[in-house]
Amino acid sequence: MHNDLFTIGSFTIHTYGVMIAVGILVADFVATRLAKRYSLKQEHLEGMILYAIIFGFLCSKLFYIGLNLNAFLKHPTAYLSNGWVVYGGILGGCFGAFHYCKKKGIDGSLYVNLVFPEVALAQSFGRVGCFYAGCCYGLPTDSKIGVIFPQGSLAPAGVSLIPTQLISSGLDLVLFAILYYNFTKGKHRENTAPLYFILYSFGRFLVEMYRGDLERGYVGPFSTSQFVAVLVFVAGIVWMVHNQRQREGV
């Protein structure tokens, strides 16, 4: 794994950042094609995506700092340049998207549901970036799927580890396919976003059982991410029930 692609002077291009950028570009391409198919205004889609990216990155960084507050206070510059929390990005992105729709006075339901399959697609690329960086690594293993990270990686070097990054990437890709099908061919297109909440949080809860970066903390018997996953799962169920009641006119 090569986290550093190349360096020009003091400026280094990291594979992690490149994969995130590629994921965003591919997701934007797919979302744009869907928007044209359903005659949605391109300027609203692009505006909503921009707001989602800005608020998503901001909240992702704030979540990371909050989870590592003591270390951040000692070495703030190190934590400003590295580290993100996916759930912070998801929640921040949702806030940014809805904030844009409210600001523009548009019904954001179709726009938001259209975007969530692409969110999963972008995450799939991002997790490959995690693999190259060595972050979000798994527990030690003797199985054939184990991966040994090199020196300089964020993962422990020289130890065979479960490649939880690649497992997460694969699950995100499957999630994209499910959500894309639901939005384009499903009976209830409005459930695409809540379905993302339910399926992503369920998969994340399971993958967390095999994560080895234990410094992220716990809430009772659950890792912090598992605890948040439970909340997001419940939110997805509530959202879907709300949609059902709206369809029934309750």
Side-chain angles (χ1 to χ4, degrees):
M1 286 71 72
H2 300 282
N3 187 35
D4 298 341
L5 287 180
F6 59 87
T7 300
I8 301 176
S10 60
F11 184 73
T12 300
I13 298 295
H14 299 288
T15 309
Y16 179 76
V18 170
M19 293 306 300
I20 289 178
V22 170
I24 291 174
L25 291 174
V26 173
D28 182 68
F29 174 78
V30 175
T32 299
R33 289 177 64 88
L34 272 182
K36 290 180 179 179
R37 183 190 302 184
Y38 293 98
S39 301
L40 297 180
K41 291 185 177 180
Q42 189 65 30
E43 63 269 25
H44 286 327
L45 177 65
E46 295 295 339
M48 191 185 72
I49 291 175
L50 179 60
Y51 269 61
I53 290 174
I54 293 173
F55 280 93
F57 273 104
L58 178 61
C59 289
S60 179
K61 176 58 69 175
L62 289 176
F63 268 58
Y64 182 72
I65 290 174
L67 292 174
N68 300 276
L69 186 58
N70 291 332
F72 169 75
L73 294 176
K74 295 178 181 178
H75 306 286
T77 55
Y79 281 84
L80 287 175
S81 59
N82 293 292
W84 309 91
V85 173
V86 171
Y87 274 123
I90 294 170
L91 298 176
C94 288
F95 175 81
F98 282 112
H99 176 66
Y100 175 85
C101 293
K102 183 177 181 180
K103 180 180 178 181
K104 294 297 182 179
I106 61 175
D107 180 5
S109 177
L110 189 57
Y111 287 92
V112 170
N113 281 286
L114 179 147
V115 165
F116 266 93
E118 292 74 53
V119 170
L121 180 60
Q123 284 180 286
S124 181
F125 282 88
R127 284 303 184 187
V128 175
C130 289
F131 179 70
Y132 276 96
C135 61
C136 310
Y137 56 87
L139 293 168
T141 180
D142 294 326
S143 71
K144 294 181 179 180
I145 68 169
V147 174
I148 298 177
F149 289 84
Q151 291 290 341
S153 174
L154 295 176
V159 181
S160 180
L161 303 172
I162 298 173
T164 46
Q165 311 95 327
L166 298 183
I167 294 172
S168 295
S169 178
L171 290 176
D172 287 334
L173 199 58
V174 171
L175 179 57
F176 162 71
I178 294 172
L179 297 178
Y180 188 88
Y181 178 86
N182 185 78
F183 185 84
T184 57
K185 298 182 180 180
K187 293 182 179 180
H188 301 295
R189 185 180 300 154
E190 71 280 0
N191 281 338
T192 304
L195 189 60
Y196 169 91
F197 274 48
I198 294 168
L199 295 180
Y200 177 78
S201 59
F202 179 75
R204 179 64 186 271
F205 188 95
L206 295 179
V207 171
E208 281 290 311
M209 297 178 181
Y210 303 96
R211 289 275 291 267
D213 46 344
L214 303 179
E215 70 277 3
R216 293 170 300 121
Y218 287 86
V219 178
F222 302 127
S223 71
T224 303
S225 292
Q226 284 180 316
F227 178 75
V228 176
V230 172
L231 299 180
V232 172
F233 183 89
V234 172
I237 295 293
V238 171
W239 193 347
M240 194 171 286
V241 170
H242 171 73
N243 289 342
Q244 177 68 25
R245 289 182 174 179
Q246 280 194 323
R247 289 195 299 271
E248 296 173 350
V250 178

